[in-house]
């Protein structure tokens, strides 16, 4: 139980000890177990945040400005970059505030909005990665019909579906969770509003809610993952039947970046959301959560730009056009 004499940075401290919030506010206690490292962590996370925004914004601009990046693969990549930007803007500013101003309160409405956006972005990314895997499957397994099957209209429809699919799920569970009464100290032992740490503050029976969350998590994470695995299974079977080693290498290289991103994203979200709550501490959950909230969004543009010759060539062309147009401006 919290003690009145604990320092504000301590995980056992009462949330509103520094009078920066009201009795109804919620307080994020992210990394309260290492108060001495908070300034260093803030500097590190700020640098990662800026790299994430710069890298993903560059992917968006290149895919929009360069005609060579108008293929469906880059259309979906642009939406993935936009999604990572939205996700980072939802998480990192509040994380930096938590590190630099411990004990700063946030209203239940602000916490609910952050949870809504987190659930929506994670759900949308699951479906978007599935659409990207389907695009690679058609490109390699049915190349002669690729242009007819993966039409611009269908790509726009799939992208809109991926963006909108997360809204109903996140809306239902956010409203349901915040309909429960919160009791006791309102300190959330995490660096963003997530379902598991918020459930620890609830007074009441949440068994039905938790069962529904588990079902939704399996559907949102495992079903797309199984579809992605099926797509790559068919891709691998097709590649192994190719007579040319050059053709096999070229086919696999077009999938490598996406496959790395899938492993990073599902490897970390699966550890967090599919394990029983009692099997890890809040502190360990914070460390693992950093992987898909900060590390993966930062690495995605690096993975796609460093492993993709067309993206690097597009960057060179855009830079050359800027240099050529400079003297005439």
């Amino acid at each position: 139980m919290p003690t009145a004499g604990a320092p504000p940075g301590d995980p056992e401290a009462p949330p509103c000890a520094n009078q920066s919030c009201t009795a109804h506010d919620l307080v994020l206690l992210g990394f309260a177990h290492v108060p001495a490292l908070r300034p260093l962590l803030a500097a590190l996370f700020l640098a990662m945040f800026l790299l994430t925004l710069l890298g993903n914004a560059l992917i968006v601009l290149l895919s929009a400005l360069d005609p060579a990046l108008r293929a469906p693969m880059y259309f979906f990549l642009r939406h993935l970059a936009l999604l990572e930007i939205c996700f980072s803007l939802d998480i990192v500013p509040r994380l930096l505030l938590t590190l630099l101003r411990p004990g700063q309160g946030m209203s239940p409405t602000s916490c609910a909005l952050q949870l809504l956006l987190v659930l929506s972005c994670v759900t949308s990314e699951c479906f978007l990665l599935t659409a990207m895997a389907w695009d690679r499957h058609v490109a390699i397994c049915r190349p002669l019909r690729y242009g007819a099957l993966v039409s611009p209209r269908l790509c726009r429809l799939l992208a809109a579906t991926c963006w909108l699919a997360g809204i109903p799920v996140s809306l239902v569970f956010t409203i349901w969770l915040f309909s429960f009464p919160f009791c006791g100290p309102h300190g959330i032992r995490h660096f963003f509003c997530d379902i598991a740490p918020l459930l620890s503050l609830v007074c009441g029976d949440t068994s039905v809610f938790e069962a529904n969350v588990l079902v939704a998590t399996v559907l949102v994470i495992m079903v797309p993952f199984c579809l992605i695995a099926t797509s790559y299974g068919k891709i691998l079977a097709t590649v192994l039947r190719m007579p040319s080693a050059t053709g096999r290498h070229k086919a696999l290289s077009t999938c490598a970046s996406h496959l790395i991103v899938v492993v990073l994203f599902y490897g970390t979200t699966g550890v967090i959301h599919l394990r029983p709550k009692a099997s890890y501490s809040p502190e360990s959950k914070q460390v693992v959560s950093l992987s898909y909230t900060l590390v993966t969004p930062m690495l995605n543009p690096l993975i796609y730009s460093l492993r993709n010759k067309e993206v690097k060539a597009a960057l060179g062309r855009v830079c050359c056009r800027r240099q050529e147009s400079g003297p005439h401006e």
Side-chain angles (χ1 to χ4, degrees), residues 289-325:
S289 295
L290 286 173
S291 300
Y292 73 92
T293 55
L294 272 86
V295 178
T296 301
M298 180 187 69
L299 291 181
N300 283 358
L302 294 175
I303 292 169
Y304 277 102
S305 60
L306 292 177
R307 295 190 58 87
N308 193 298
K309 294 180 181 179
E310 292 182 1
V311 173
K312 289 187 285 188
L315 178 60
R317 287 191 294 270
V318 170
C319 292
C320 289
R321 284 201 294 267
R322 293 288 298 177
Q323 291 177 354
E324 292 172 0
S325 61

Side-chain angles (χ1 to χ4, degrees), residues 130-154:
T130 307
M132 296 173 75
W134 172 78
D135 169 72
R136 293 298 83 207
H137 166 255
V138 177
I140 294 174
C141 299
R142 308 185 69 180
L144 299 180
R145 298 203 60 196
Y146 180 77
L149 292 174
V150 191
S151 64
R153 182 176 179 275
L154 180 59

Side-chain angles (χ1 to χ4, degrees), residues 234-286:
K234 293 181 179 180
I235 288 172
L236 183 60
T238 301
V239 168
L240 291 177
R241 289 197 298 267
M242 292 180 177
S244 168
T246 303
R248 290 195 295 270
H249 176 75
K250 184 177 179 180
L252 290 176
S253 65
T254 64
C255 302
S257 299
H258 177 257
L259 191 57
I260 293 171
V261 171
V262 167
V263 171
L264 285 173
F265 178 76
Y266 278 98
T268 52
T269 55
V271 167
I272 288 294
H273 295 289
L274 293 177
R275 290 177 62 189
K277 288 192 299 182
S279 63
Y280 50 78
S281 67
E283 288 74 25
S284 63
K285 180 174 181 178
Q286 291 179 55

